[in-house]
Structure formats: C-alpha cells, structure tokens
Amino acid sequence: MRDDQGRALIDHGGIWLLELSKFNVAQVVTKQQRWLKFFTDGERLDAAALPPWMQTDEMRQAMTTLIAFSDKERAYHLYQARQRLPCKK
C-alpha cells in the first residue's frame, strides 16, 4: 500500500485472500497453516483442551478473542429472543 508519492504506508502487512474450503492438512507445521486451521476449525475447539498446534501465546489470545465474540453473539441472540416473547399480564 502506497500513498500518492509512492511511499510505503506500512512496512508489514498486506491483503490476503484465503480459500478456506480448499485448506486441508493432516498436520499443522507452519505459522500460516496454524492460522488457516484456526480459521477453519476454531469454533469447534475446546478452549480447555487445545490441540498441540494451538499451544502458542498468539493462538491462545486468538482463542480468547473468539470466545469473547461468541459470548457476545450468544448474548445478543438471547436478548433478541426475549424481545420477541409476548408480555404476560
């Protein structure tokens, strides 16, 4: 990414397009595979018993963030369901 004068806006980063449906590895070896596996399987993981490939600080933080987002989504759906219930008089 560059500005109007051609100077780089960031030293690290970029735009990545990932076709998660095409990702299928038996064993996670690289950091890139670790993230792809997290994106495909993260919501099915047990936070209390993470697999070996998730045993890094950044993967634990990613799992914590995923749980926080999931909890907020569940709370939102519960709230919406309560709003749709008829009031008892």
Side-chain angles (χ1 to χ4, degrees), residues 10-50:
I10 54 175
D11 293 331
H12 305 286
I15 298 172
W16 293 68
L17 299 175
L18 308 171
E19 293 186 72
L20 297 176
S21 62
K22 293 182 179 179
F23 176 73
N24 188 15
V25 296
Q27 184 175 359
V28 174
V29 178
T30 67
K31 184 176 183 176
Q32 184 180 35
Q33 289 174 337
R34 183 178 295 123
W35 279 106
L36 290 169
K37 186 82 168 162
F38 175 73
F39 292 146
T40 57
D41 297 347
E43 65 183 320
R44 291 185 298 275
L45 295 175
D46 178 0
L50 293 174

Side-chain angles (χ1 to χ4, degrees), residues 64-76:
T64 300
T65 302
L66 175 64
I67 291 167
F69 279 124
S70 297
D71 289 346
K72 285 182 182 180
E73 184 176 357
R74 275 191 289 279
Y76 170 77

